[in-house]
Amino acid sequence: MPDASLFQPYALGPLTLANRVVMAPLTRSRAAAGDVPQALNATYYAQRATAGLIISEATQISQQGKGYAFTPGIYTPQQVAGWRLVTDAVHAAHGRIFAQLWHVGRISHPDLQPEGGLPVAPSAIQPEGQAFTEAGFKPFVTPRALAEAEIPGIIADYRHAAACALQAGFDGVEIHAANGYLLDQFLRDKTNQRTDSYGGSLENRTRFLLEVTEAVTAVWGDNRVGLRISPTSPANDIADSNPQRLFGHVVKALDRFGLAYLHVVEGATGGPREAVPGFDWLALRRGFRGAYMANNGYDLALAQAALKEGRADLIAFGRPFIANPDLVQRLRHGSPLAKLDQATLYGGDAHGYTDYPPMVQAAAAQ
Ligand SMILES: Cc1cc2nc3c(=O)[nH]c(=O)nc-3n(C[C@H](O)[C@H](O)[C@H](O)COP(=O)(O)O)c2cc1C
């Protein structure tokens, strides 16, 4: 039998998690019209409620924050009502769920923006790659650099979305500062070439993130807020000339908030863990007094080793949760994991979403 520590309860701020297995945020692009979560989404999350904690798919804080077709929002009354279906279903199944708050910045397309406008970013630098729109993939465009006077409005959008998440019955929120989206774009020198008080020095590049964190924690209290970073990930054409120094500074600056957890994508998101050889993850952990949630390429053995060696407090699993709604049970028994179907990851209906069977059922069907 595997070592039990992954399956022991964990005190996360005021919450007691049933175990240390976290469901990582996973965009599945299955919201209804108006970017409203629906009963199908509630079924999907409830199926996975044996995770100690679920982090919702990224959910945009405003229409400007949207970058992919069919992703849910968290800023209208209809969206709040849709998310209420999800949180009620998860709670009825004795689970816990945080909402991941998202602004994509330049990783968008005019098709997805208010009045077909340009996506916004710290600087007008076009990303490599393509946007997923309702009409298929379209090349990214050169975004519009935000005026300094627009930044308080985006912080207000975060505050509003955080309040909507509270109203929708979530247990907390996660600020998405990873994977090359708006907050990450401000942090890194490849995407932030501003010369005002939001660019240049580490202090300046970190300012926006800290202001957002201040606004969100004012709504929720510090210990119901987590924050996700991906220091060495090149996701969405992002990079920094010195990620160790940058994220050392970021984590130290965040530590004053007493956040519930720091969620760290270790390596290239969904790719090699050694994206920047020699990056010192333990230095981040040591600089932060809240829980350290590790993610990226974890399996049972890696997860148990990280907990045992004190390198993490919680382990987030992403892809394994897609095809294994009962992942916790499978890990606990050392059972084989089902493989996900790439073709049904983004968009569509129940197929490849809520029809992955749990283990007992899967065994009976053979
Ligand atoms: C289909 C899919 C959707 C994802 N959506 C999100 C998301 O909405 N927010 C986020 O922070 N990361 C997202 N990620 C990244 C995962 O949370 C996770 O970091 C990545 O899959 C690596 O973890 P794993 O090896 O356990 O899968 C997504 C990954 C996949 C495969």
Side-chain angles (χ1 to χ4, degrees), residues 70-360:
F70 315 119
T71 54
I74 184 128
Y75 56 92
T76 71
Q78 294 79 10
Q79 291 162 358
V80 169
W83 279 117
R84 176 56 85 170
L85 300 176
V86 172
T87 61
D88 280 351
V90 169
H91 291 149
H94 310 291
R96 300 282 192 186
I97 182 164
F98 275 36
Q100 193 187 43
L101 301 181
W102 194 29
H103 190 308
V104 297
R106 67 182 190 152
I107 303 302
S108 184
H109 189 276
D111 285 6
L112 299 160
Q113 288 292 305
E115 289 147 31
L118 287 176
V120 299
S123 304
I125 303 169
Q126 184 181 349
E128 292 277 336
Q130 296 190 314
F132 173 49
T133 76
E134 293 192 18
F137 285 95
K138 296 192 178 180
F140 289 127
V141 298
T142 302
R144 177 174 72 74
L146 283 163
E148 197 166 352
E150 290 178 274
I151 289 179
I154 298 182
I155 293 166
D157 288 341
Y158 272 100
R159 189 181 301 113
H160 173 68
C164 287
L166 193 59
Q167 227 187 319
F170 282 98
D171 297 295
V173 291
E174 176 174 288
I175 297 170
H176 192 350
N179 296 345
Y181 296 114
L182 185 66
L183 292 168
D184 208 11
Q185 289 160 28
F186 268 85
L187 292 178
R188 315 257 207 147
D189 55 15
K190 177 173 178 179
T191 40
N192 182 345
Q193 296 178 5
R194 300 176 73 93
T195 53
D196 62 7
S197 62
Y198 290 92
S201 66
L202 291 183
E203 286 73 19
N204 282 356
R205 283 187 274 143
T206 308
R207 189 180 310 282
F208 183 45
L209 177 66
L210 297 181
E211 289 177 349
V212 166
T213 306
E214 185 84 56
V216 171
T217 54
V219 174
W220 274 94
D222 296 349
N223 61 9
R224 295 253 184 179
V225 177
L227 191 139
R228 189 175 222 213
I229 55 175
S230 54
T232 64
S233 183
N236 290 314
D237 195 19
I238 202 101
D240 191 80
S241 54
N242 191 341
Q244 188 85 57
R245 182 166 160 265
L246 169 61
F247 284 91
H249 176 86
V250 166
V251 168
K252 207 162 149 231
L254 283 170
D255 195 44
R256 75 173 153 95
F257 289 99
L259 298 178
Y261 65 83
L262 181 70
H263 186 177
V264 184
V265 182
E266 298 168 338
T269 314
R273 290 178 48 79
E274 288 293 312
V276 172
F279 190 89
D280 184 358
W281 302 104
L282 271 177
L284 296 188
R285 173 159 175 62
R286 279 193 296 266
F288 186 77
R289 70 193 136 117
Y292 182 99
M293 182 188 294
N295 168 251
N296 204 33
Y298 277 88
D299 60 12
L300 177 64
L302 259 185
Q304 294 286 32
L307 294 184
K308 195 166 166 204
E309 291 160 22
R311 286 186 279 111
D313 303 298
L314 297 162
I315 309 292
F317 295 83
R319 290 162 294 181
F321 260 111
I322 292 175
N324 299 278
D326 55 346
L327 181 66
V328 175
Q329 200 193 352
R330 294 195 197 214
L331 293 175
R332 196 192 292 271
H333 295 289
S335 306
L337 300 187
K339 287 201 173 35
L340 66 81
D341 171 19
Q342 293 282 347
T344 50
L345 278 184
Y346 303 104
D349 52 21
H351 179 51
Y353 189 55
T354 52
D355 62 356
Y356 287 110
M359 197 167 55
V360 177

